[in-house]
């Protein structure tokens, strides 16, 4: 099997060898030829690389070698066009071909090569995977999140993604292991995955940034203010890099076990050009933990419990509101179609349980979330992204921390968790909800704490 490649797509010697190869391929049943052209500007480097790889000495165009595909091993170098003619021993075939005809063939080869390259570039340009950056990527949340993102469950089965894992140099081997494992799983929508430990290259061309940075709280070691300052310094590094390297419409997700609201607030503070509406904090883990607790009480599927609202500081002082919660598919005296909701408070008649057991259990909910191995918060992030990109299911609301604009009488300019609805790639606060007395009584305390905390941050 002779295989030859030209130094230049418009090389006349290549055209001469091509005529001979085409003739042999037509007239010899077991003869096959594979022709690959190189652009003139790329030829010298390509020739150097192929010769170095195979241990050949050759300096002119074209280069021709023979491969025995059924025997393996590297190819046998034949040489240039004259060597090929001698090898074929049919020089008379080309005796009547003029130099002008060969030159025309060479020019045609160049045009075909240019058009082919252009088509390939156009095809590549159509493949524009979402660029997703994950900070503190050695965290267990990231390990659980990658399969959800790459499976098509979040962005759809036609959207490819590229994942970039960012962490400090001490976790380089951990990141490399995650990359290798993700590659081995051969996700059809995972265009690429890479690890990064150089902070200067962070967030390049990012469409989505998921901030997972946490601090391990130990009040016996240092004060809460010092932990807040530590997290603020991390965001002070990230925010300018997001402004510099990420796309203008980048969406930033703040998640983790500590200071979720704070991280979102600090990224907006230190990155003033980042659109505030594109920065949100995830409260879904607390929602889901509360829904699971309610489902166990009612002996039903957790997925049937909807519209549980988390108000306030997600990983701090928050309030879980059941006044708008609904049940779907619950086996009770009232029957209806699958999309028929039943108000939760109309089903749980044990008000004592709601006001004592459930509300007092919010501390245990926080403990469950903070001690999760990663599946719960990873699912929460995936849920928020799916709503953001595909819209919320009809009638369904979800809680996220957003920069307030005075909704529900919450002070402006703080990150506060409240109910929103996603539609057409944007979100809007569900301001038409009626707030019951319990929420109204609890609200001012949450608002005050959030306001004080955001005010304290200005000094950091």
């Amino acid at each position: 099997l002779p295989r030859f490649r030209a130094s230049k797509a418009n090389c006349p010697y290549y055209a001469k060898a091509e005529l001979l190869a085409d003739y042999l391929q037509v007239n010899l049943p077991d003869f096959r030829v594979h022709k690959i052209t190189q652009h003139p500007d790329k030829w010298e480097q390509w020739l150097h690389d192929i010769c170095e790889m195979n241990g050949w000495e050759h300096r002119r165009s074209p280069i021709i070698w023979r491969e025995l595909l059924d025997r393996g091993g590297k190819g046998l170098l034949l040489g240039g066009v004259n060597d090929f003619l001698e090898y074929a021993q049919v020089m008379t075939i080309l005796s009547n071909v003029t130099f002008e005809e060969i030159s025309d063939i060479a020019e045609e080869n160049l045009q075909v090569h240019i058009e082919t390259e252009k088509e390939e570039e156009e095809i590549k340009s159509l493949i524009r995977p979402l660029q997703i950056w994950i900070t503190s990527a050695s965290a267990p949340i990231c390990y659980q999140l990658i399969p959800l993102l790459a499976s098509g469950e979040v962005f759809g089965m036609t959207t490819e993604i590229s994942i970039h894992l960012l962490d400090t140099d001490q976790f380089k081997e951990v990141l490399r292991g995650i990359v290798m494992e993700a590659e081995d799983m051969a996700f059809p929508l995972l265009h690429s995955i890479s690890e990064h430990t150089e902070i200067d290259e962070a967030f390049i061309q990012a469409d989505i940034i998921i901030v997972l940075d946490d601090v391990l709280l130990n009040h016996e070691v240092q004060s809460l203010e010092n932990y807040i300052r530590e997290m603020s310094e991390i965001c002070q590094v990230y925010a300018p890099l997001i402004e510099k390297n990420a796309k203008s419409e980048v969406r930033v997700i703040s998640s983790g076990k500590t200071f979720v609201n704070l991280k979102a607030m600090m990224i907006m503070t230190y990155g003033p050009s980042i659109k505030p509406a594109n920065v949100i904090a995830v409260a879904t883990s607390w929602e889901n933990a509360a829904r699971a607790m309610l489902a166990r009480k009612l002996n039903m599927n957790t997925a049937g419990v909807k519209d549980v609202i988390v108000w306030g500081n997600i990983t701090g002082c928050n309030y879980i509101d059941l006044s708008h919660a609904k049940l779907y598919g619950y086996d009770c005296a009232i029957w209806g179609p699958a999309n028929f909701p039943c108000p939760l408070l109309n089903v749980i008649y044990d008000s004592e349980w709601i006001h004592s057991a459930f509300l007092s259990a919010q501390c245990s909910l926080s403990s469950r979330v903070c001690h999760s191995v990663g599946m719960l918060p990873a699912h929460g992030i995936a849920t928020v992204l799916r709503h953001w990109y595909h819209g919320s299911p009809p009638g369904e609301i979800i809680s996220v921390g957003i920069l307030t604009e005075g909704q529900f009488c919450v002070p402006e300019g703080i990150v506060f968790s409240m109910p929103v609805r996603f539609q057409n790639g944007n979100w809007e606060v569900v301001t038409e909800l009626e707030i019951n007395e319990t929420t109204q009584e609890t609200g001012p305390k949450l608002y005050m704490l959030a306001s004080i905390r955001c005010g304290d941050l200005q000094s950091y």
Side-chain angles (χ1 to χ4, degrees):
L1 171 61
R3 169 181 294 193
F4 60 90
R5 307 187 185 194
S7 62
K8 303 174 184 177
N10 61 346
C11 174
Y13 300 107
Y14 171 83
K16 192 173 185 179
E18 183 182 27
L19 285 173
L20 173 56
D22 288 343
Y23 176 87
L24 295 175
Q25 188 164 236
V26 170
N27 292 276
L28 298 178
D30 296 325
F31 185 90
R32 296 289 181 272
V33 62
H34 182 60
K35 296 175 282 187
I36 302 177
T37 59
Q38 291 292 323
H39 194 279
D41 296 340
K42 300 178 181 178
W43 161 255
E44 294 295 339
Q45 184 60 48
W46 180 87
L47 179 63
H48 174 271
D49 293 342
I50 194 69
C51 288
E52 185 176 272
M53 181 178 66
N54 291 282
W56 294 338
E57 287 289 339
H58 190 81
R59 300 181 182 279
R60 299 179 62 184
S61 168
I63 180 171
I64 305 169
W65 68 90
R66 178 171 178 260
E67 292 182 354
L68 298 177
L69 297 183
D70 60 336
R71 300 184 188 178
K74 68 178 183 179
L76 173 65
L77 178 65
L78 298 179
V81 63
N82 291 332
D83 300 301
F84 184 40
L85 292 172
E86 182 178 347
Y87 173 79
Q89 296 179 357
V90 287
M91 294 181 64
T92 55
I93 297 173
L94 301 176
S95 60
N96 296 325
V97 181
T98 66
F99 181 79
E100 288 75 14
E101 291 174 321
I102 292 178
S103 298
D104 290 341
I105 296 172
E107 184 63 28
E108 182 181 344
N109 285 338
L110 177 60
Q111 293 303 318
V112 170
H113 179 81
I114 292 174
E115 291 175 5
T116 302
E117 279 193 333
K118 185 178 179 181
E119 289 177 1
E120 290 176 352
E121 289 299 322
E122 289 178 353
I123 292 173
K124 290 180 181 178
S125 68
L126 296 176
I127 303 175
R128 296 178 180 174
L130 280 175
Q131 304 294 325
I132 303 173
W133 284 77
I134 305 176
T135 72
S136 193
S138 62
I141 302 176
C142 178
Y143 190 81
Q144 303 289 344
L145 180 60
I146 290 173
L148 298 177
L149 299 177
S151 66
E153 177 183 339
V154 176
F155 304 107
M157 297 306 298
T158 59
T159 303
E160 292 192 358
I161 64 172
S162 290
I163 297 178
H164 307 268
L165 308 178
L166 177 66
D167 213 319
T168 58
D169 193 62
Q170 70 181 100
F171 296 106
K172 188 173 184 178
E173 292 302 317
V174 176
L175 299 185
R176 187 166 299 168
I178 296 174
V179 168
M180 292 176 62
E181 191 166 352
E183 290 174 339
D184 291 343
M185 293 180 74
F187 294 106
L189 297 175
L190 183 59
H191 184 268
S192 63
I193 182 169
S194 56
E195 74 270 13
H196 304 267
T197 55
E198 297 294 333
I199 191 63
D200 291 339
E201 65 185 28
F203 314 130
I204 293 176
Q205 292 299 301
D207 293 292
I208 298 168
I209 297 172
I210 301 171
V211 182
L212 299 181
D213 296 76
D214 273 319
V215 293
L216 183 61
L217 298 179
N218 186 343
H219 297 296
E220 295 180 358
V221 175
Q222 59 179 325
S223 65
L224 178 62
E225 286 74 16
N226 286 334
Y227 286 120
I228 292 174
R229 184 179 292 107
E230 180 181 340
M231 185 56 69
S232 178
E233 289 172 353
I234 293 173
C235 296
Q236 195 170 1
V237 173
Y238 286 165
L241 288 171
I242 295 173
E243 290 183 302
K244 176 184 176 183
N245 295 336
K247 295 179 182 177
S248 60
E249 294 294 325
V250 63
R251 298 176 180 182
V252 182
I253 301 282
S254 174
S255 185
K257 300 177 180 180
T258 58
F259 302 124
V260 173
N261 291 46
L262 171 65
K263 287 183 287 188
M265 185 70 194
M266 288 296 94
I267 287 172
M268 286 184 272
T269 300
Y270 295 120
S273 68
I274 302 171
K275 293 184 178 181
N278 284 3
V279 182
I280 63 176
V282 176
T284 323
S285 297
W286 277 258
E287 276 188 10
N288 289 343
R291 290 166 58 199
M293 185 175 181
L294 293 166
R296 286 192 293 271
K297 171 68 174 177
L298 297 169
N299 193 27
M300 65 175 293
N301 190 330
T302 303
V305 184
K306 304 287 187 182
D307 298 350
V308 173
I309 301 173
V310 177
W311 299 91
N313 185 358
I314 297 168
T315 50
C317 185
N318 62 49
Y319 172 66
I320 298 178
D321 181 5
L322 305 182
S323 61
H324 300 279
K326 302 178 184 67
L327 305 178
Y328 291 84
Y330 179 64
D331 187 9
C332 63
I334 302 175
W335 284 74
N339 60 349
F340 174 76
C342 181
L344 179 139
L345 295 182
N346 290 355
V347 174
I348 299 182
Y349 297 103
D350 189 356
S351 59
E352 181 63 27
W353 181 85
I354 294 176
H355 292 95
S356 59
F358 178 78
L359 294 179
S360 64
Q362 291 194 36
C363 292
S364 66
L365 288 179
S366 178
S367 177
R368 289 171 66 89
V369 172
C370 291
H371 291 87
S372 68
V373 295
M375 286 190 292
L376 180 60
H379 175 70
I381 295 170
T383 300
V384 169
L385 282 171
R386 185 170 61 250
H387 283 229
W388 208 342
Y389 275 82
H390 298 289
S392 298
E396 190 172 326
I397 59 178
I398 189 172
S399 303
V400 297
I402 52 99
L403 188 67
T404 57
E405 297 179 351
Q407 304 95 333
F408 301 108
C409 299
V410 178
E412 293 185 25
I414 64 172
V415 174
F416 197 88
S417 178
M418 56 180 62
V420 304
R421 184 181 294 115
F422 288 90
Q423 188 175 10
N424 299 324
N426 300 305
W427 54 263
E428 62 177 2
V429 178
V430 187
T431 54
E432 65 269 21
L433 294 180
E434 294 183 6
I435 306 302
N436 63 15
E437 293 182 2
T438 304
T439 305
Q440 289 177 348
E441 292 174 1
T442 308
K445 300 176 184 178
L446 297 176
Y447 308 157
M448 182 180 66
L449 288 171
S451 300
I452 292 172
R453 180 59 61 206
C454 289
D456 292 343
L457 294 176
Q458 303 304 317
S459 61
Y460 298 137

